[in-house]
Amino acid sequence: MQIVFIGPPGAGKGTQSVRLAEYLGVPHLSTGEMLRGACRQKSEIGIKATEAMESGQLVSDDLVEEIVFSRLEKPDCESGCILDGFPRTVPQAEALDHWLAKRGQLLSGALELRVSKELLVERLSSRGREDDDQGTVLERLRQYDKLTHPLLDYYGNRQVLQVIEGSGTQDEVFSRVQGVVAEMNSSSSEQAEK
Ligand code: ADP
């Protein structure tokens, strides 16, 4: 199963996607983590990505695609993976669809974690990651509205979008995630039987 998680910073995408990957026994791929790792190692991609990340902008599509697709090629992703933070723009989503289609695969689903602006700001102000200072966070939220929000229509039009309410405890949210994934599984096996 290839599942993508979409949600603004602070929606709980990181936590929920890690839990889902463990639950399904597939790798968890976070582009934020991969990029932060590349920055620490000062690899070529890392050096190019640092400035955008520090200011809350998105890293360019081609750099992110390079890092994600080379990871997706690894054998442990063959039976699926959970993508956390990718795609984040419509061109990235098109690139992912294209990459999967070339391998005869389809996206199993896109999960949107939906959280009110008030709750996001509250959660982000108590998180304390290095790129979580107020100005950067506001810029990341703006970037989300401008560049990532259009993905919801992209996946909605393809009928793979599932909206999950992101308020409540981590356990409450995770049981909603499990419910949606169980439904996705049963409808994909029905499709296979047809
Ligand atoms: P959050 O969802 O809380 O913003 P992430 O760890 O997913 O945090 O991402 C941190 C930063 O990494 C983003 O602000 C952006 O600069 C960069 N990044 C991560 N994924 C992508 C992506 N798919 N496309 C472009 N930039 C990305």
Side-chain angles (χ1 to χ4, degrees):
M1 293 189 101
Q2 316 280 1
I3 297 177
V4 310
F5 263 86
I6 307 171
K13 212 167 27 76
T15 315
Q16 297 298 328
S17 58
V18 167
R19 283 184 72 166
L20 181 61
E22 273 168 15
Y23 172 72
L24 295 175
V26 295
H28 167 252
L29 271 56
S30 152
T31 41
E33 272 169 27
M34 290 182 208
L35 289 166
R36 282 189 288 278
C39 292
R40 276 194 299 273
Q41 286 164 7
K42 302 210 165 30
S43 69
E44 207 184 316
I45 293 184
I47 292 167
K48 290 186 187 151
T50 303
E51 198 184 316
M53 292 183 74
E54 282 178 351
S55 61
Q57 307 276 320
L58 290 191
V59 173
S60 69
D61 290 338
D62 49 336
L63 283 185
V64 178
E65 285 164 20
E66 192 180 328
I67 213 167
V68 172
F69 293 137
S70 59
R71 178 66 186 85
L72 278 174
E73 298 281 357
K74 302 254 160 77
D76 63 334
C77 292
E78 252 162 39
S79 58
C81 71
I82 306 298
L83 286 164
D84 163 10
F86 180 90
R88 233 182 178 87
T89 63
V90 171
Q92 289 179 15
E94 287 167 347
L96 176 64
D97 279 344
H98 184 72
W99 190 93
L100 291 170
K102 274 212 307 220
R103 287 156 184 82
Q105 296 176 24
L106 266 182
L107 194 68
S108 318
L111 309 187
E112 178 200 354
L113 271 185
R114 197 174 281 180
V115 171
S116 73
K117 275 264 149 64
E118 294 74 32
L119 185 56
L120 285 184
V121 173
E122 189 186 311
R123 284 187 182 169
L124 286 165
S125 50
S126 58
R127 193 163 76 166
R129 209 174 65 196
E130 55 198 23
D131 57 349
D132 270 353
D133 69 81
Q134 217 181 8
T136 314
V137 163
L138 288 178
E139 183 55 31
R140 301 219 310 277
L141 288 171
R142 265 197 296 272
Q143 296 277 320
Y144 180 82
D145 284 336
K146 192 169 95 188
L147 296 167
T148 309
H149 208 256
L151 271 186
L152 303 176
D153 283 340
Y154 179 90
Y155 286 127
N157 292 337
R158 283 163 181 70
Q159 282 155 8
V160 291
L161 183 71
Q162 304 281 347
V163 181
I164 295 169
E165 171 56 42
S167 62
T169 64
Q170 290 184 1
D171 287 347
E172 281 164 355
V173 179
F174 189 60
S175 40
R176 292 178 204 135
V177 171
Q178 283 175 305
V180 162
V181 170
E183 257 174 51
M184 256 160 50
N185 265 332
S186 62
S187 63
S188 67
S189 46
E190 270 167 33
Q191 294 276 328
E193 278 163 24
K194 276 184 196 158

